[in-house]
Amino acid sequence: MKNIIFISPNFPTNYWKFCRELKHNGMNVLGIGDQPYEQLSPPLKDSLNEYYKVNSLEHYDEVYRAVAFFIFKYGKIDWLESNNEYWLERDAYLRTDFHITSGFQIDDIPRIKYKSQMKPYYQQAGIPTARYRLVDDEAGCLSLIKEVGYPVVVKPDNGVGAAHTYRLSDDDDLRAFLVKRDPNISYIMEEFIHAEVNSYDAIIDSKGEPMFETGNVSPVSIMDIVNHQDNSLYYIVQDLPDDIRQAGRDTVKIFGVKSRFVHFEFFRLTRDQEGLGSKGQVVALEVNMRPCGGFTPDMINFAHSTNVYKIWADMIAFDRSATPVGEHAYCAFAGRRDGKNFILDHDEIMAKYGRHLKMVERIPDALSNAMGNQMYVATFLAKNEMNQFYHDILNTK
């Protein structure tokens, strides 16, 4: 029996399903989290063989002692994972310190977490990237701006989501950013790309081959959603476009990805852009060596009539999966922001779209900045029906 440590199995709230499928596959599932055991959901409790509570997952020494305890009690740990962007670096430190070889080690972190260090890998794969510069002083920033023009985007070189991400449109914006920026954060400045974000979401086996592939489209940037407190929308594609599939597979190879659930983001240009390509071309954005966040795994299941939690657990247990994939559909996420005067109220939405809706829930506060406060997730076989859903759900009076 393999011993699997799952970090933070209680958050995001749907991640207990990874643990459930591991346990169904005969794994010894050991959870480490900061929520008291008695407050864990019954399904999560049933999915764990043992749980170790720490006061804070931010305290490395506490988590280190938890892993050491499990090794003392159960012997060799075969796998340690959180599937969570926030803990990727912590996971790598723990694997390195305890010689758990089934996953990224601390030496791997720069190329998979720092946006500036991802770019040479994309270039090796022949995928164009935005021109950039690590932020130093005003003169240095202006040297890049002279080359690419305004607007530019600045964001943490090693960051999660759209936190501390800004669009700068002129010299005044630049000077204001340089004054207010966090001095403890290393920022990267990139040329602005006119595009929508397309992703490659896949479960990769130990040989670097895909066991399952799909993707999503974000017509509105997370940066704008966060900075302008807009509503949130994105959708799982009915069928993965061939160019995104190829770019995703090339990225898997060049980064040497094995035995992981990944979420790679690409730009699809919405206009011709000098130095990058023509409208419709795929440009690299960033790699994320974990599943797409929030409730996206559930949305993938709805879109493809499958169970990616089980496919992932099958990858760990057997390095293959016979989990079926059924009818393909679009799966749309609409996250409404509290305080807006929407045309349709909740009851009207339920009456009109009830047969399409798969999830209707409040979004946890920790995710609401990027995803809104109230979510509606629905499936559609036709794209025009999905577009009408977005119109009805998100339009205001």
Side-chain angles (χ1 to χ4, degrees), residues 27-209:
M27 307 290 98
N28 191 38
V29 188
L30 310 169
I32 300 174
D34 54 11
Q35 187 174 17
Y37 179 77
E38 59 272 15
Q39 294 179 16
L40 300 180
S41 69
L44 174 54
K45 289 179 181 178
D46 291 343
S47 301
L48 298 174
N49 294 85
E50 188 166 346
Y51 179 75
Y52 190 112
K53 180 193 175 297
V54 295
N55 291 318
S56 172
L57 289 170
E58 299 281 359
H59 297 159
Y60 186 75
D61 288 349
E62 285 191 70
V63 182
Y64 183 97
R65 287 195 295 271
V67 175
F69 169 78
F70 282 144
I71 291 173
F72 173 78
K73 185 170 181 178
Y74 295 101
K76 177 179 178 290
I77 300 300
D78 298 284
W79 214 280
L80 184 148
E81 189 56 77
S82 67
N83 276 342
N84 193 319
E85 181 75 24
Y86 191 79
W87 301 118
L88 278 185
E89 205 160 337
R90 175 63 49 83
D91 295 347
Y93 270 106
L94 290 167
R95 292 190 201 101
T96 301
D97 284 349
F98 287 101
H99 308 291
I100 301 168
T101 58
S102 54
F104 289 116
Q105 307 293 301
I106 195 58
D107 289 345
D108 296 312
I109 288 299
R111 67 186 175 89
I112 66 171
K113 286 285 286 176
Y114 288 84
K115 297 172 179 63
S116 60
Q117 297 200 35
M118 297 174 189
K119 290 179 182 289
Y121 290 89
Y122 284 124
Q123 290 161 5
Q124 290 178 51
I127 305 172
T129 62
R131 289 167 287 184
Y132 78 100
R133 180 186 179 93
L134 292 176
V135 172
D136 43 16
D137 56 16
E138 183 176 351
C141 293
L142 288 172
S143 68
L144 174 67
I145 292 165
K146 183 178 180 180
E147 179 184 356
V148 304
Y150 283 111
V152 292
V153 174
V154 288
K155 51 192 173 183
D157 194 24
N158 178 12
V160 179
H164 301 280
T165 299
Y166 309 99
R167 174 175 170 170
L168 310 181
S169 298
D170 53 36
D171 289 351
D172 289 340
D173 284 352
L174 173 61
R175 295 187 188 102
F177 162 72
L178 291 172
V179 169
K180 71 181 179 182
R181 62 174 166 165
D182 188 330
N184 299 311
I185 294 176
S186 174
Y187 288 89
I188 183 173
M189 174 181 286
E190 295 181 318
E191 65 182 307
F192 183 82
I193 296 181
H194 300 274
E196 66 177 15
V197 175
N198 286 222
S199 77
Y200 173 80
D201 297 84
I203 298 170
I204 308 299
D205 69 14
S206 66
K207 301 177 184 64
E209 298 297 330

Side-chain angles (χ1 to χ4, degrees), residues 16 72 109 113 156 182 204 229 256 290 309 321 371:
W16 67 270
F72 173 78
I109 288 299
K113 286 285 286 176
D182 188 330
I204 308 299
Q229 290 294 284
R290 42 76 182 172
Y309 299 104
S321 181
M371 300 182 71

Side-chain angles (χ1 to χ4, degrees), residues 191-261:
E191 65 182 307
F192 183 82
I193 296 181
H194 300 274
E196 66 177 15
V197 175
N198 286 222
S199 77
Y200 173 80
D201 297 84
I203 298 170
I204 308 299
D205 69 14
S206 66
K207 301 177 184 64
E209 298 297 330
M211 296 172 58
F212 174 84
E213 298 169 298
T214 186
N216 67 57
V217 173
S218 300
V220 180
S221 76
I222 297 294
M223 176 181 65
D224 289 339
I225 292 168
V226 171
N227 289 340
H228 303 306
Q229 290 294 284
D230 285 342
N231 301 313
S232 175
L233 70 154
Y234 70 99
Y235 60 90
I236 308 299
V237 296
Q238 189 173 40
D239 296 296
L240 186 63
D242 289 341
D243 55 358
I244 296 294
R245 185 189 308 275
Q246 189 60 55
R249 291 182 177 183
D250 290 345
T251 303
V252 165
K253 298 300 183 187
I254 208 67
F255 278 87
V257 179
K258 296 179 180 178
S259 302
R260 289 205 71 78
F261 201 146

